[in-house]
Amino acid sequence: MYPQVLFKNRKPDRITTIEEYQQNGGYEALAQVLKNKSVKQVKQVINDAVLLGRGGAAFPSGVKLETVAENAPFPRYLVCNADEMEPGTFKDRVLIHADPHQLIEGMILAGYAVLAEKGIIFIRPEYENAARILEREIDIAKQAGFLGSNIMGSGYSFNLDVHRSGGRYICGEVTAQLNALMGKRPNPKQPPPYPTEKGLWDQPTVIQNVETLCCIPHIMKNGADWFKNLALTKGAAGTKIFGISGKVNKPGCYELPLGVRLSEIIEKHAGGMTAGSEFKACLPGGASTRFLTKEFYNIEMDFQTLKNAGHRLGTAAIMVFDHKTCMVGATLNLMEFFARESCGWCTPCREGTQYIKDLLWRIENGQGEESFIPLLKKICKYLWNAYCAFAPGAVSPVESLLTYFEDEVMEHIEQKKCPFKT
Amino acid sequence: MLPIELKESLKTRIEQSSHPKELVVDVMMAVQEHYGYLSDEALDESAQLLNLPPMELEEIATFYTFIYREPVGRYVIHVCDSVVCWMNGAESIQDYLCRKLEIKPGETTKDGLFTLLPVCCIGYCDRSPAILINKKVYGELTPGKLDSILEKLRKEAE
Ligand code: SF4
Ligand code: FES
């Protein structure tokens, strides 16, 4: 059993109360920090801990906080991105349900690091339960004196609100999320200015993922070195919530050190492949990552190792496909998702995702031609030039399908049907 | 017309907000909750409350999955059709619901009880195949489970 940090208080059937959270050391980091740590020191510790953003992009959290200039104007905002909508990803929901005060404390600490006066949790409509839990626990934290004005006599004031989205994948993208929060159509907006300079209502704004924020109280309490030592591989730091789904016996969220091997996650923690299933491939970190095939079965799961192998850890939401699953069908399904969720702002993405979807549909349904393969590759390339990171994410599964499963694609074309359908 | 209390409570929230526009989705959702869907009239009323042109609300309303610009049934069933549910039988769940309710995806049953809409991953992949009914989650579905859920909702609606 590896050390449990974020899931330390997790119960099988209910949320952790504020009393339980405090009994296990909760809000101690906040008290210490507000009493004797400067804003600069907090940012330094997070930087030293090499906390990489857990929302998919792996941007160093400390650097993001430091981007808010010391003389930046007030008010400043902190937004928690709880708009998890990438297929296969559900860790943030589990984290909020397991231990809401961990997130609240993380937000107050991150808020303090940039002297934000207001924090907003942006949450998708499918997570209405989580939104209600958070609203209730925010009130409780306020009554306990951890939120509001002059927190614990420190002179620092911070308030928290929950903002409910109307539900669209693109709202998870930072600039789109800011537009959504300001009641505009949530299209992405290309920086500069960066949100940390001009974000919400043109004020400095930091956006962080739920899991990233949850790490902060523990880092502040136990130090940067402790956090770094949690990981199994050199250069990696901390634990990671791996959300595993698909053809395994025990789908769910597991907190494991970064650098743990994929084979171990599947065999030991997720209970192995389901009866009669053999591992064929997985998406290691949500729908916008590339298929990891058998040759990577033993790979160490951390951001850098996957990057070196030409892959992305993303949100570490592992979706496991077995030998009976048609990879063309799976990719077509992923493309249906991206085509539906494209915000439609720019032509390459709006038209390109539909075009790719159509070609995959034809291949899957026996109308494919060999010429589709170079055509698909070409369109994928164009999508890398779209307006935001959505489009390159959307083509990741397609490009990796053509890299690793060209045989399977060809079989569809030659047999004029899906070989997996009887 | 919206009931006075609802109108007043929304007005108060808008007045108290330093940035009323941040309430656009909240207001449309609350108004939709009252009417069942966001009709043209409901959209106009929301726009009036927020003091914004209806067109501006329209472009936001049509963007979001959970704002309905057309009538829906009392229970909106969102069937997740993303990849994990797909792998675990989402298609047969949807087919089964279509047969049982005698509707196609996007339609509402004659008695106005159920609307069936496909939706992207709802974040319950560990309990797939999963659906939402009025934002409540039901996972690890089988035809038998669906039968009893529909039965329960029908009784509840009586
Ligand atoms: S790439 Fe897609 S999601 Fe991003 S702005 Fe263009 S259309 Fe919108
Ligand atoms: S794929 Fe259906 S809930 Fe995630």
Side-chain angles (χ1 to χ4, degrees), chain A residues 170 188 341-346 349-350 386-391:
Chain A
I170 199 62
E341 289 302 321
S342 162
C343 88
W345 179 256
C346 64
C349 172
R350 183 184 59 240
Y387 191 68
C388 83
F390 175 99

Side-chain angles (χ1 to χ4, degrees), chain A residues 57-106:
Chain A
F59 189 81
S61 174
V63 174
K64 202 185 256 184
L65 296 170
E66 274 172 353
T67 324
V68 178
E70 256 168 66
N71 59 358
F74 292 96
R76 304 168 182 177
Y77 298 103
L78 174 77
V79 176
C80 165
N81 187 348
D83 192 60
E84 179 173 68
M85 207 175 147
E86 181 112 339
T89 314
F90 49 96
K91 66 184 175 71
D92 295 340
R93 164 180 62 83
V94 174
L95 270 169
I96 296 171
H97 282 256
D99 204 354
H101 285 281
Q102 177 172 254
L103 174 61
I104 295 171
E105 187 181 7

Side-chain angles (χ1 to χ4, degrees), chain B residues 11-99:
Chain B
K11 257 196 191 149
T12 320
R13 272 188 73 191
I14 292 165
E15 274 158 21
Q16 282 171 355
S17 167
S18 38
H19 301 283
K21 250 186 112 171
E22 71 188 354
L23 296 170
V24 167
V25 172
D26 281 6
V27 169
M28 287 195 287
M29 288 284 200
V31 174
Q32 161 169 292
E33 182 98 353
H34 172 73
Y35 288 108
Y37 75 107
L38 203 72
S39 62
D40 290 345
E41 185 198 345
L43 187 105
D44 284 345
E45 280 184 284
S46 311
Q48 263 167 34
L49 278 167
L50 289 152
N51 201 15
L52 290 170
M55 197 55 204
E56 212 175 315
L57 265 69
E58 172 77 345
E59 71 166 14
I60 298 164
T62 51
F63 196 82
Y64 286 118
T65 311
F66 284 81
I67 295 181
Y68 315 123
R69 286 289 278 118
E70 280 174 44
V72 290
R74 175 152 168 194
Y75 299 106
V76 180
I77 308 180
H78 279 115
V79 183
C80 171
D81 61 3
S82 285
V83 69
V84 182
C85 290
W86 167 82
M87 193 178 356
N88 289 332
E91 277 172 22
S92 58
I93 293 295
Q94 179 156 317
D95 288 348
Y96 186 78
L97 281 167
C98 286
R99 255 184 293 133

Side-chain angles (χ1 to χ4, degrees), chain A residues 98-387:
Chain A
D99 204 354
H101 285 281
Q102 177 172 254
L103 174 61
I104 295 171
E105 187 181 7
M107 284 193 75
I108 308 168
L109 287 165
Y112 174 71
V114 294
L115 293 176
E117 66 175 35
K118 192 174 169 191
I120 299 164
I121 303 172
F122 186 96
I123 199 161
R124 60 185 300 198
E126 291 87 341
Y127 289 180
E128 180 55 28
N129 271 347
R132 287 201 191 136
I133 290 173
L134 283 168
E135 278 173 338
R136 190 185 67 209
E137 300 303 316
I138 285 170
D139 269 345
I140 294 174
K142 210 177 275 167
Q143 279 159 30
F146 299 130
L147 279 170
S149 51
N150 190 17
I151 300 168
M152 298 160 114
S154 65
Y156 177 60
S157 304
F158 185 69
N159 280 301
L160 257 184
D161 264 344
V162 175
H163 178 100
R164 288 168 167 80
S165 163
R168 265 312 274 279
Y169 176 64
I170 199 62
C171 294
E173 201 276 343
V174 239
T175 56
Q177 186 160 109
L178 290 173
N179 277 336
L181 278 169
M182 293 188 286
K184 296 188 202 161
R185 197 173 203 265
N187 295 119
K189 217 171 96 189
Q190 233 169 39
Y194 286 90
T196 43
E197 195 190 308
K198 265 186 177 46
L200 199 54
W201 317 112
D202 272 349
Q203 297 299 118
T205 306
V206 171
I207 304 194
Q208 304 255 271
N209 174 254
V210 173
E211 188 184 352
T212 317
L213 290 161
C214 285
C215 291
I216 292 180
H218 306 286
I219 293 173
M220 292 319 297
K221 198 165 156 220
N222 302 304
D225 285 334
W226 165 85
F227 190 71
K228 278 197 274 188
N229 285 331
L230 288 169
L232 296 181
T233 37
K234 238 182 124 205
T239 60
K240 181 81 197 72
I241 306 293
F242 290 91
I244 182 160
S245 60
K247 298 293 181 191
V248 292
N249 282 317
K250 290 193 308 182
C253 279
Y254 301 94
E255 179 174 20
L256 302 167
L258 271 170
V260 61
R261 286 182 192 278
L262 175 61
S263 50
E264 181 185 325
I265 303 177
I266 294 174
E267 286 162 22
K268 206 164 138 198
H269 306 286
M273 299 293 294
T274 53
S277 280
E278 264 170 51
F279 178 87
K280 178 154 142 189
C282 74
L283 284 167
S288 60
T289 54
R290 295 161 56 82
F291 290 115
L292 271 184
T293 48
K294 259 193 199 146
E295 59 180 300
F296 296 104
Y297 190 57
N298 273 314
I299 198 166
E300 290 160 323
M301 297 287 277
D302 68 49
F303 295 105
Q304 196 56 45
T305 311
L306 279 173
K307 198 171 168 190
N308 295 345
H311 284 271
R312 261 182 359 100
L313 184 64
T315 57
I318 305 170
M319 293 173 261
V320 181
F321 303 93
D322 72 346
H323 68 297
K324 286 175 287 186
T325 309
C326 170
M327 297 314 284
V328 176
T331 312
L332 169 61
N333 178 285
L334 291 161
M335 237 22 243
E336 279 167 350
F337 166 78
F338 286 113
R340 194 194 284 166
E341 289 302 321
S342 162
C343 88
W345 179 256
C346 64
T347 318
C349 172
R350 183 184 59 240
E351 306 292 323
T353 46
Q354 295 290 348
Y355 199 170
I356 296 173
K357 185 183 89 173
D358 178 57
L359 290 173
L360 288 172
W361 189 91
R362 288 202 252 169
I363 295 171
E364 174 66 6
N365 289 287
Q367 301 163 19
E369 285 166 30
E370 225 179 303
S371 61
F372 287 5
I373 296 182
L375 185 56
L376 275 169
K377 286 186 182 157
K378 200 162 146 191
I379 308 169
C380 285
K381 260 210 204 109
Y382 287 140
L383 262 72
W384 278 88
N385 297 324
Y387 191 68

